[in-house]
Amino acid sequence: MAWWEGFDEIRLLIAADTAETGNDVGQLLSLRHPKSGNSMCCLLVNGVLQELNWFKQSYTSWFLGDFVAEDGGLYTATPVDPVFILLPIFEEARMKKGDDPGKFRLVDEIIFVEGYPGYQKLLSIAENCMQVVCEIKEIGSSKFFRLDDSKVLAWMYHKVCQLKQTLSTLDNNYAAREEKDRLIDAVSILGEYLDEPWLKLLSDRLRIDLTEATRKMSDIEILPTAAECNGSQEKSKSDNKTTRGGRQAKKPKVETESHNIREMFTRASSRRKK
């Protein structure tokens, strides 16, 4: 069954063209958001994982051929580094206690998440991308993975460097800002996907104030993550755009700019350091 079958209504989706990398029709996967733990909908096409976000302005409609989408909502699919999505799963799987680094596990065991069969579709992706943040032991033909804090820290630091470079392309004056401010901006955007213990580890490495980065996170206006994979979203989410701090967004322009930052970041994130 194609990914779009089963939708209750016709919807508009803006996504990257992955035809050059294959002819897979794609699959909609219900996964856990790495920050909140709530359900999120992702699109997997030709081995590229994309996060679905839902955007809607009041009093708008879409004319799609002979059909009118009256609520004016649209979906955007943005490529996202799978490490962000899988990091909490691997953290839980190692069962770390105190100074004990935890256990090595097979990937197919790690990505078995009750209530979320979509993770099983990420088996080959997980085996490849999680090597950058895991220790690996090979026994015969089997590979056992265990999350490694030092590797995660190195990976996060690399993301900060990528993000600083990306943000500089949005504004010629951005590069003139102080290094500390640019680092805080980068960490605050990463904080959309990372739990506080990882942010604390990263902030200590960068020698910045986590409290200030957290405050900036609450001011970032974001597009709501698509929680359902059947095309229906809660009315409360469709009518209100909110910030991390729970305040209603003031201007659609700001939200659009925030999404542009996020899109450029996630695209840059897919190019991992070899």
Side-chain angles (χ1 to χ4, degrees):
M1 183 176 73
W3 67 267
W4 58 81
E5 296 180 16
F7 270 58
D8 297 331
E9 300 176 4
I10 294 177
R11 295 291 185 180
L12 182 64
L13 170 67
I14 300 176
D17 184 6
T18 60
E20 294 182 358
T21 58
N23 57 3
D24 188 1
V25 295
Q27 302 174 78
L28 286 175
L29 307 179
S30 180
L31 306 174
R32 284 190 342 205
H33 192 280
K35 181 74 173 184
S36 67
N38 297 328
S39 295
M40 64 182 295
C41 189
C42 292
L43 176 63
L44 180 63
V45 185
N46 296 323
V48 178
L49 186 64
Q50 303 181 53
E51 178 185 359
L52 284 186
N53 292 281
W54 193 45
F55 174 75
K56 180 184 182 302
Q57 288 182 308
S58 301
Y59 311 113
T60 58
S61 297
W62 291 103
F63 292 89
L64 308 173
D66 297 328
F67 178 81
V68 178
E70 295 181 357
D71 70 354
L74 69 89
Y75 287 88
T76 61
T78 305
V80 61
D81 190 334
V83 176
F84 284 111
I85 307 300
L86 295 169
L87 189 62
I89 308 300
F90 276 67
E91 168 65 15
E92 294 174 6
R94 66 173 171 171
M95 295 181 286
K96 180 181 178 181
K97 294 181 180 180
D99 295 331
D100 181 6
K103 299 180 179 180
F104 285 89
R105 306 278 296 279
L106 290 167
V107 173
D108 55 355
E109 294 178 350
I110 295 174
I111 64 174
F112 178 79
V113 181
E114 186 175 357
Y116 291 91
Y119 283 99
Q120 300 299 311
K121 304 293 184 181
L122 303 180
L123 177 60
S124 60
I125 292 178
E127 289 178 337
N128 291 326
C129 74
M130 294 305 290
Q131 295 187 43
V132 73
V133 291
C134 288
E135 292 182 71
I136 300 174
K137 284 187 177 181
E138 295 189 35
I139 301 178
S141 60
S142 299
K143 288 185 178 181
F144 295 81
F145 288 68
R146 183 178 68 189
L147 204 62
D148 182 273
D149 288 357
S150 61
K151 288 190 174 184
V152 175
L153 178 58
W155 172 78
M156 291 189 297
Y157 182 81
H158 178 62
K159 293 300 181 188
V160 168
C161 294
Q162 283 185 317
L163 188 50
K164 281 200 315 176
Q165 183 178 1
T166 300
L167 290 173
S168 297
T169 65
L170 300 179
D171 187 347
N172 292 332
N173 296 324
Y174 185 83
R177 298 182 61 188
E178 293 186 6
E179 175 72 4
K180 176 184 176 182
D181 292 333
R182 290 190 292 158
L183 289 174
I184 290 175
D185 286 343
V187 172
S188 66
I189 295 175
L190 284 175
E192 186 178 335
Y193 295 93
L194 297 173
D195 285 332
E196 187 170 338
W198 293 121
L199 292 175
K200 178 66 167 58
L201 186 65
L202 178 60
S203 297
D204 290 346
R205 168 65 176 82
L206 297 173
R207 297 181 181 179
I208 63 173
D209 185 2
L210 177 59
T211 303
E212 190 171 352
T214 303
R215 179 184 59 79
K216 283 207 169 188
M217 275 190 283
S218 68
D219 293 333
I220 295 177
E221 296 175 28
I222 61 171
L223 291 177
T225 300
E228 302 294 337
C229 288
N230 61 2
S232 63
Q233 304 297 325
E234 295 179 9
K235 189 176 188 301
S236 61
K237 291 182 180 179
S238 67
D239 294 337
N240 296 286
K241 297 172 285 297
T242 59
T243 66
R244 279 288 179 206
R247 298 187 301 276
Q248 186 171 353
K250 295 180 180 179
K251 297 180 181 179
K253 179 181 178 182
V254 177
E255 181 181 273
T256 302
E257 290 173 349
S258 297
H259 177 61
N260 289 339
I261 292 175
R262 178 190 193 173
E263 180 177 0
M264 295 186 72
F265 159 57
T266 49
R267 287 180 184 277
S269 296
S270 63
R271 299 190 295 271
R272 290 185 297 278
K273 189 176 183 180
K274 296 184 178 179

